[in-house]
Amino acid sequence: MTDGPTYGFDTLQIHAGARPDPATGARQTPIYQTTAYVFRDADHAAALFNLQEVGFIYSRLTNPTVAVLQERIATLEGGVGAVCCSSGHAAQIMALFPLMGPGKNIIASTRLYGGTVTQFSHTIKRFGWECTFVDFDDLDAVRAAVDDNTRAIFGEAIANPGGYIMDVRAIADIADEAGVPLIIDNTTATPYLCRPIEHGATLVVHSTTKYLTGNGTVTGGCIVDSGTFDWSANDKFPSLSQPEPAYHGLKFHETFGTLAYTFHGIAIGLRDLGMTMNPQAAHYTLMGTETLSLRMERHVANAKKIAQWLETDDRIDQVTYAGLKSSPYFDRVAKVCPKGAGALFTIAVKGGYEACVKLVEALEIFSHVANLGDTRSLVIHSASTTHRQLSIEQQVAAGAGPNVVRLSIGTEDPDDLIADLDQALSKAALEPAKKVNRTRRRIGEWRICMSSSVLPRVNPGIWVNYNPIMCLCPTLRAAERTERRAFHHIPARERFFAHE
């Protein structure tokens, strides 16, 4: 649906990339659950493998169900092409893969999801890549961080967890000056609230797990290419501008033009890294995109109402929602995210760490999970979970300090969510803190708090799940049989180990 009439977002989120199945007439995109595809003849097979013809070879590379999703997300973002993969983290590595090399670096915002900070701080070093973290509100600092080895600049349009709004255009201008692409993680905003390519971004990445799917069923990732970057303008990106030995000297940019990055992501990235999205996941995400605008409108409306209520509550020190007039990012919302500031933000709870833990445990409608962007409202204490691997300084810089709880506001009745927060905040302010260490524990040193029976000592090097019913350790299973009656009527969230 890229040719012909110009369609609105609500139409494209349903129809882009999808056509009735030519064999059966099925209107919904089929799940092509297959690993391989029959070639017409030997010449057809050779042409596909030599990138002389576009088609399906093997589902690690391409799949018809996934292809529909790729076209849909690219259309919604205003890009020329997209590559889907197995997760948001996979999308980040795949986005960097054609750009980087040993000794090269990226400049990244300090306000990122904790897993991304860890990936960029530690994991990419195994490839010989480096990352410098900078406060993207300090544009001079961003310029100063760029050097001759910089190959990309990376940030989140709406930052996880605090919901901070990035000035995409300002950072894009710096990237243009440096001659490197700007990569924007648009997971939290979605293309309904923000289209980073229109603000100068070169590449857009998504964890499709979140709002695009919207129902917490499958993981996935996507990289969208704007098609606007000149990969041959200098010698910084040889993977795209220079001959590729695996394809007999083919030059991706020279051969595929604006689609060079997308073709490289499939022909090299998926071929060699194998971070493939399965067709079942693509199907669920396709169904999710069909209601994206409707869900995001409700997410934003609920988030705004709840944030306004929290801001006036004496039990809360701070609410970071950018849609509040008190936010330093309020004026930026109209420019970057004109349809709303998203539905993810944090609250600083009076009473610090222990109050946060009690709040999370007292909530009833909010689900305590390591996810966001679901139709269900979600909560997590980032400092002890998603941002746990970071230093205290990194946590604070990312907006995930010890006194902060992250809220992902769903599409339920907002009055019910407010009532749930109200009762949980009351309990957090009144109940004494439980002296429970919630880190992993050696079995021989801990006991089940509900039964007071010491578990049999096992190999002290073995770590087990908090819930003994879920553990596969034979010794612990035997112990669990003696404890079954004690656990029978205990809610799952209370099944934890307490120190002797």
Side-chain angles (χ1 to χ4, degrees):
M1 295 189 69
T2 56
D3 298 324
T6 300
Y7 295 99
F9 191 96
D10 289 358
T11 301
L12 292 172
Q13 71 183 7
I14 297 171
H15 293 285
R19 299 158 187 84
D21 181 60
T24 66
R27 191 61 191 89
Q28 183 59 269
T29 300
I31 302 171
Y32 289 92
Q33 196 68 52
T34 183
T35 56
Y37 309 85
V38 176
F39 306 121
R40 295 191 303 268
D41 51 41
D43 288 340
H44 177 225
L48 289 172
F49 274 89
N50 208 34
L51 302 185
Q52 294 172 325
E53 186 174 333
V54 176
F56 300 103
I57 299 174
Y58 187 67
S59 280
R60 187 176 75 245
L61 307 173
T62 51
N63 174 279
T65 311
V66 178
V68 172
L69 180 61
Q70 289 172 162
E71 185 175 342
R72 183 167 300 174
I73 297 175
T75 301
L76 295 178
E77 284 287 6
V80 298
V83 179
C84 284
C85 53
S86 55
S87 70
H89 259 31
Q92 290 170 180
I93 291 295
M94 283 194 59
L96 294 174
F97 190 61
L99 314 178
M100 303 294 287
K104 308 308 178 186
N105 68 71
I106 62 172
I107 309 301
S109 171
T110 52
R111 297 186 178 93
L112 297 175
Y113 163 56
T116 301
V117 175
T118 301
Q119 187 184 62
F120 288 178
S121 297
H122 305 291
T123 305
I124 67 171
K125 288 183 177 180
R126 300 179 182 183
F127 301 129
W129 308 345
E130 298 291 335
C131 179
T132 301
F133 294 95
V134 183
D135 181 352
F136 274 19
D137 286 339
D138 186 344
L139 299 182
D140 290 335
V142 177
R143 288 191 181 90
V146 176
D147 61 28
D148 291 341
N149 288 320
T150 300
R151 292 298 179 266
I153 299 178
F154 186 99
E156 296 178 3
I158 299 180
N160 173 13
Y164 306 109
I165 307 296
M166 175 181 162
D167 189 343
V168 180
R169 172 56 64 183
I171 302 299
D173 290 342
I174 295 174
D176 289 344
E177 294 170 8
V180 299
L182 171 63
I183 306 172
I184 294 295
D185 184 338
N186 205 33
T187 296
T188 307
T190 78
Y192 182 71
L193 299 181
C194 175
R195 287 168 41 115
I197 291 172
E198 295 178 354
H199 296 272
T202 302
L203 304 169
V204 177
V205 296
H206 280 276
S207 171
T208 61
T209 312
K210 312 304 193 296
Y211 290 101
L212 289 179
T213 302
N215 49 43
T217 53
V218 291
T219 63
C222 186
I223 311 102
V224 181
D225 179 19
S226 66
T228 60
F229 197 87
D230 185 354
W231 302 109
S232 301
N234 50 51
D235 59 357
K236 291 182 177 181
F237 306 104
S239 293
L240 296 164
S241 62
Q242 299 303 311
E244 169 55 50
Y247 289 100
H248 308 290
L250 176 147
K251 298 180 180 179
F252 276 89
H253 191 216
E254 178 181 88
T255 303
F256 300 110
T258 57
L259 285 169
Y261 185 92
T262 299
F263 270 89
H264 188 281
I266 296 171
I268 303 293
L270 288 178
R271 184 196 69 185
D272 294 343
L273 298 180
M275 300 173 174
T276 306
M277 174 181 281
N278 70 78
Q280 185 82 38
H283 177 73
Y284 281 123
T285 303
L286 281 167
M287 290 193 292
T289 62
E290 293 182 359
T291 60
L292 179 61
S293 63
L294 305 177
R295 289 185 287 107
M296 293 309 298
E297 287 174 358
R298 183 60 177 266
H299 280 299
V300 170
N302 281 1
K304 185 175 182 179
K305 182 173 183 177
I306 292 166
Q308 289 172 338
W309 177 80
L310 286 166
E311 189 179 34
T312 63
D313 195 291
D314 292 337
R315 296 164 292 187
I316 301 297
D317 280 330
Q318 184 187 22
V319 181
T320 63
Y321 188 59
L324 297 173
K325 292 182 179 179
S326 59
S327 170
Y329 299 95
F330 180 76
D331 292 337
R332 196 175 286 175
V333 173
K335 180 173 66 173
V336 180
C337 304
K339 293 181 180 177
L344 185 76
F345 59 91
T346 61
I347 55 175
V349 183
K350 288 183 178 178
Y353 181 95
E354 290 296 339
C356 289
V357 171
K358 287 186 285 183
L359 169 65
V360 169
E361 293 185 342
L363 287 164
E364 296 175 355
I365 298 177
F366 282 78
S367 298
H368 183 197
V369 301
N371 193 23
L372 60 92
D374 201 330
T375 51
R376 302 156 190 82
S377 291
L378 313 175
V379 63
I380 200 163
H381 181 241
S382 300
S384 61
T385 55
T386 59
H387 290 64
R388 187 181 187 89
Q389 289 78 18
L390 278 59
S391 67
I392 294 295
E393 293 76 16
Q394 287 177 315
Q395 289 176 351
V396 172
N403 65 327
V404 167
V405 168
R406 184 186 78 183
L407 301 178
S408 174
I409 305 301
T411 59
E412 303 96 336
D413 188 310
D415 292 332
D416 291 339
L417 298 176
I418 289 173
D420 193 27
L421 287 164
D422 187 32
Q423 64 84 20
L425 284 167
S426 296
K427 291 179 180 178
L430 295 175
E431 291 183 359
K434 295 176 183 177
K435 298 299 182 181
V436 176
N437 185 333
R438 289 171 172 77
T439 57
R440 296 185 299 180
R441 305 165 174 88
R442 284 184 173 85
I443 294 305
E445 301 171 0
W446 306 89
R447 66 172 68 187
I448 301 174
C449 82
M450 289 300 176
S451 66
S452 297
S453 298
V454 179
L455 290 172
R457 183 177 296 275
V458 296
N459 185 329
I462 295 178
W463 297 99
V464 300
N465 192 294
Y466 294 155
N467 184 350
I469 294 174
M470 299 300 293
C471 184
L472 299 181
C473 171
T475 307
L476 191 55
R477 282 207 311 271
E480 185 272 320
R481 285 194 291 272
T482 68
E483 303 293 342
R484 188 179 301 278
R485 183 172 300 175
F487 275 95
H488 187 67
H489 297 294
I490 298 171
R493 66 181 181 185
E494 296 180 19
R495 296 174 187 159
F496 51 81
F497 295 107
H499 196 275
E500 293 182 23

